């Protein structure tokens, strides 16, 4: 009621957002926006795009437009705050978040700058496994981020620290804040708070999953190695030998065949079930209900949203003692850390 009474209006800006064709485009941002809307807040989502367009998803209005157009819209709107989620700099003017950052700073707009990781990290140091040296596209992408994108984002963050009197940085974990400061080479702590991505406990309801403990579940993009660590999921099943345990992996990605080949090479084809599709968010609880343990494989994670959703559903979780994972799992109490 207090929010509705003052007609609070927020602008949420991200380089990507979920749609009917791409339901996993920063779903964690959409989860936040849905909760804002439930509390009576008016939410306007903006995504830089070459063309102008609009659509709605779960009653959230999304505007697509060139960055300059969105910057003008911010300047003419009456927003209580602007929220940034993974808004990247770009060589393409229409997609360049730098124009929007400059406008917000110039007008002193109240701002929440959500820090998620890759936008303020170098690929070569934070996730070197993502660089596939035999694939030129992967190497070029990493070089672009590290040599062109990172310096610009570093300069942008420094400006918000020094000039953004109405700015707060939001990190999803304490580990993320420390890692960001190490990567950037300066502190954001004076303006930073830790607020993890929220989990919709109305959708993910706790139940006893232990009867299905021989059926493991993982939800990951189909990338064999790197951050998403599908190879470690395959290796985990192989390490179980002939025990009657099976793993189902839901996901999509361009490395599907590589993963299938790796599954075969490890001799676990009969116990590793690859489902080549992403689950709509509303369908994930049904997948939870069909399994008994969630295997949260990762090499680098600032929180692990799918892991936290599984915990909310009552699935015991097995993950790794790395990065921010220990902030969300107490080993031997709320899960197991390898």
């Amino acid at each position: 009621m207090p929010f509705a009474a003052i007609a609070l209006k927020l602008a949420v800006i991200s380089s990507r957002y979920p749609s009917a064709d791409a339901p996993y485009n920063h779903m964690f941002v959409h989860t936040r926006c849905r909760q804002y809307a439930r509390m009576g807040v008016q939410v306007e989502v903006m995504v830089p795009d070459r063309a102008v367009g609009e659509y709605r998803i779960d009653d959230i209005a999304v505007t697509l437009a060139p960055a300059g157009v969105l910057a003008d819209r911010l300047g003419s709107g009456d927003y209580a705050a602007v929220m940034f989620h993974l808004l990247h700099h770009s060589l393409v003017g229409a997609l360049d978040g730098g124009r929007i950052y400059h406008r917000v700073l110039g007008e002193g707009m109240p701002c929440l700058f959500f820090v998620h990781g890759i936008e303020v990290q170098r690929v070569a140091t934070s996730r070197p496994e993502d660089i596939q040296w035999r694939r030129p596209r992967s190497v070029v992408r990493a070089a672009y981020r590290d040599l062109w994108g990172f310096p610009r984002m570093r300069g942008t963050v420094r400006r918000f620290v020094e000039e953004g009197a109405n700015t707060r940085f939001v990190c999803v974990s304490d580990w993320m804040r420390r890692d960001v400061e190490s990567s950037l080479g300066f502190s954001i702590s004076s303006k930073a708070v830790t607020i993890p991505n929220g989990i919709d406990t109305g959708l993910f309801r706790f139940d006893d999953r232990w009867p299905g403990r021989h059926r493991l579940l993982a939800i990951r993009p189909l990338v064999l190695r790197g951050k998403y660590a599908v190879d470690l999921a395959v290796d985990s099943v192989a390490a179980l030998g002939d025990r009657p345990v099976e793993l189902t992996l839901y996901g999509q990605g361009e490395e599907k065949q590589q993963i299938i080949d790796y599954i075969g090479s490890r001799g676990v084809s009969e116990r590793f079930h690859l489902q080549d599709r992403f689950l709509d968010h509303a369908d994930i609880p049904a997948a939870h209900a069909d399994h008994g343990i969630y295997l949260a494989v990762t090499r680098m994670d600032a929180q692990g949203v799918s892991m936290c959703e599984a915990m909310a559903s009552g699935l015991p979780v097995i993950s790794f003692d790395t990065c921010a994972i220990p902030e969300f799992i107490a080993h031997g109490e709320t899960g197991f850390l390898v």
Side-chain angles (χ1 to χ4, degrees):
M1 288 300 294
F3 292 129
I6 60 174
L8 193 68
K9 184 166 70 170
L10 301 176
V12 177
I13 310 176
S14 177
S15 292
R16 294 192 299 166
Y17 201 77
S19 66
D21 296 331
Y24 271 65
N25 274 353
H26 298 168
M27 174 55 72
F28 51 86
V29 182
H30 183 52
T31 298
R32 288 179 182 269
C33 290
R34 290 176 62 193
Q35 188 62 27
Y36 301 151
R38 289 190 189 117
M39 296 178 70
V41 176
Q42 182 180 343
V43 181
E44 296 184 18
V45 176
M46 304 180 192
V47 180
D49 198 278
R50 291 178 173 86
V52 175
E54 295 181 349
Y55 66 91
R56 299 186 72 87
I57 176 170
D58 297 329
D59 291 328
I60 301 295
V62 183
T63 298
L64 308 173
V69 174
L70 297 181
D72 291 341
R73 181 167 178 166
L74 286 175
S76 61
D78 183 21
Y79 299 100
V82 178
M83 297 182 171
F84 292 122
H85 287 277
L86 292 165
L87 179 64
H88 301 299
H89 290 264
S90 175
L91 285 166
V92 180
L95 308 180
D96 183 18
R99 298 185 176 192
I100 299 173
Y101 288 133
H102 182 74
R103 185 64 176 265
V104 169
L105 277 168
E107 300 200 10
M109 300 178 192
C111 167
L112 290 178
F113 194 122
F114 289 80
V115 179
H116 296 284
I118 187 59
E119 79 277 31
V120 287
Q121 296 169 321
R122 288 187 173 91
V123 178
T125 53
S126 67
R127 51 183 78 179
E129 300 89 353
D130 285 359
I131 305 175
Q132 301 176 40
W133 296 103
R134 295 183 180 181
R135 301 183 66 177
R137 183 178 179 182
S138 172
V139 176
V140 170
R141 184 188 298 118
Y144 168 75
R145 286 181 175 177
D146 285 5
L147 301 179
W148 190 88
F150 175 79
R152 281 157 181 78
M153 184 58 77
R154 184 176 185 272
T156 293
V157 172
R158 185 182 287 279
R159 283 193 63 194
F160 274 100
V161 171
E162 296 176 352
E163 304 173 26
N166 296 319
T167 296
R168 290 294 180 272
F169 295 96
V170 180
C171 300
V172 296
S173 59
D174 293 335
W175 173 86
M176 183 78 266
R177 177 186 52 77
R178 294 192 299 269
D179 189 76
V180 166
E181 293 180 335
S182 175
S183 178
L184 294 175
F186 57 84
S187 176
I188 64 171
S189 294
S190 63
K191 294 185 176 180
V193 295
T194 297
I195 306 175
N197 288 303
I199 304 302
D200 186 350
T201 52
L203 178 63
F204 299 100
R205 297 179 180 274
F206 195 92
D207 201 354
D208 179 11
R209 311 298 182 182
W210 194 236
R213 59 190 174 277
H214 298 297
R215 298 189 301 275
L216 278 61
L217 173 67
I219 302 173
R220 309 302 281 164
L222 297 189
V223 179
L224 180 58
R225 295 184 172 83
K227 169 185 175 180
Y228 297 111
V230 172
D231 60 324
L232 298 183
V234 179
D235 292 344
S236 297
V237 176
L240 291 170
D242 59 359
R243 292 177 179 83
V245 175
E246 300 180 353
L247 172 64
T248 301
L249 170 67
Y250 285 92
Q252 285 185 329
E254 59 185 21
E255 297 184 14
K256 173 186 174 182
Q257 189 57 51
Q258 291 176 247
I259 293 171
I260 292 174
D261 293 344
Y262 191 69
I263 292 170
S265 72
R266 298 291 278 138
V268 295
S269 297
E270 294 184 358
R271 293 182 290 127
F272 195 108
H273 309 298
L274 182 61
Q275 302 295 321
D276 182 19
R277 65 186 180 93
F278 276 129
L279 291 166
D280 288 337
H281 206 231
D283 294 334
I284 295 177
H288 288 168
D290 288 339
H291 298 83
I293 294 175
Y294 190 82
L295 184 59
V297 289
T298 185
R299 283 189 171 91
M300 194 286 289
D301 224 317
Q303 175 179 349
V305 172
S306 64
M307 174 188 76
C308 293
E309 290 173 343
M311 293 173 73
S313 285
L315 283 166
V317 170
I318 301 171
S319 191
F320 301 121
D321 188 6
T322 185
C323 302
I325 300 299
E327 293 183 41
F328 299 90
I329 296 179
H331 178 59
E333 297 179 18
T334 57
F336 286 96
L337 299 179
V338 180

